[in-house]
Amino acid sequence: MMPITGATRLFAILADPIAQVRTPQGLNALMAERGTDGVMVPMHVGAAELTEVVRGLRQMRNFGGCIVTVPHKKAILGLVDEASPRAQAIGAANAVRREPDGRLVADMLDGLGFVEGLRGAGLPPAGRSVFLAGAGGAGNAIAFGLAEAGIARLTIHNRTEATARDLAARLRASFPSLPVAAGSDPSDHDLAVNATALGMKPGDPAPFDLLRLTPEMTVAEVIMAPEMTPMLSHAAATGCRIHKGAPMLAAQLGLMAAFLGMTR
């Protein structure tokens, strides 16, 4: 990292919990590589404190913006001045840029990063049938990203079925030709994706019925730490090809840096 000075631009990542995040390491290395006088720091912010924290960050004139992750991706939209059409359609954002006049502008990069991570691993999603667990902020973004990438069919599973049905309805409105439904059975799909936080903590239940996995399936994760979640371990033991969470972050780093203006 470059030395921190009075001219250093500050960036943050807001999350609860925070210890598992890897974005600061990646973006700090990227800024050092590009000669950017900036630093990203993790901020452990609970849901009850998010509004107050964002209000304070807005007032910091050397604050360049932040990455927003679990559980704040939906709530952040109500705290910014402008959001991209993509973020508005998804109903969540994970990147917020502070403009020189103090305005906060948000976008959602999760879906783009997940799709690019799949492509980089030789798993282009076009033409695949996909089972997606999770209809929260990450799930919404990944669903829209996969739809844009040309998947053949999508089944959405969520603990609250009404939430899955709502996401399915919004996807049908944007992608009328895509067969999409709420459901709980991952079998008969090419790709099963966990877009929930289940698997991050010891003792978490599985995000879906892992006994329904079959060896010809690919199983993908969005969780970065632990690197091998219980779902991935079970999938590997079943004979499935597995796709860890790290490629999604790696693909997003360049997208995040560009959005936050870290090359300036």
Side-chain angles (χ1 to χ4, degrees), residues 16-78:
D16 181 22
I18 195 73
Q20 81 286 351
V21 298
R22 297 185 180 181
T23 305
Q25 298 95 305
L27 286 177
N28 282 326
L30 189 60
M31 284 189 282
E33 177 184 313
R34 297 182 179 181
T36 300
D37 189 1
V39 61
M40 171 168 278
V41 296
M43 295 187 177
H44 192 174
V45 179
E49 295 81 43
L50 182 64
T51 299
E52 185 175 357
V53 169
V54 172
R55 185 183 298 119
L57 292 175
R58 182 193 291 270
Q59 307 306 316
M60 295 171 54
R61 299 183 185 181
N62 61 342
F63 177 67
C66 60
I67 299 303
V68 181
T69 187
V70 177
H72 306 311
K73 293 179 183 181
K74 289 187 174 182
I76 196 67
L77 279 185

Side-chain angles (χ1 to χ4, degrees), residues 187-229:
S187 62
D188 194 32
H189 292 78
D190 303 315
L191 173 65
V193 181
N194 176 35
T196 77
L198 295 175
M200 188 180 296
K201 299 177 182 177
D204 277 350
F208 56 87
D209 185 359
L210 302 182
L211 296 178
R212 306 293 294 181
L213 295 175
T214 54
E216 63 272 14
M217 298 173 67
T218 296
V219 179
E221 182 66 87
V222 300
I223 292 172
M224 310 291 171
E227 181 181 28
M228 281 294 291
T229 61

Side-chain angles (χ1 to χ4, degrees), residues 97-139:
R97 180 178 66 244
R98 184 189 185 277
E99 302 288 9
D101 62 1
R103 295 174 64 254
L104 299 180
V105 179
D107 200 356
M108 172 50 90
L109 307 175
D110 275 344
L112 297 178
F114 183 77
V115 168
E116 287 306 307
L118 287 175
R119 287 174 176 153
L123 294 166
R128 297 177 186 264
S129 58
V130 182
F131 176 87
L132 175 67

Side-chain angles (χ1 to χ4, degrees), residues 73 84 86-87 90 94-95 107-120 125 137-149 175 222 243 247-256 258-259:
K73 293 179 183 181
S84 70
R86 173 173 46 236
I90 292 168
N94 75 329
D107 200 356
M108 172 50 90
L109 307 175
D110 275 344
L112 297 178
F114 183 77
V115 168
E116 287 306 307
L118 287 175
R119 287 174 176 153
N140 270 257
I142 289 170
F144 274 84
L146 290 169
E148 291 175 4
F175 303 92
V222 300
H243 181 75
M248 176 178 169
L249 174 60
Q252 280 201 86
L253 291 178
L255 298 171
M256 291 172 174
F259 179 77

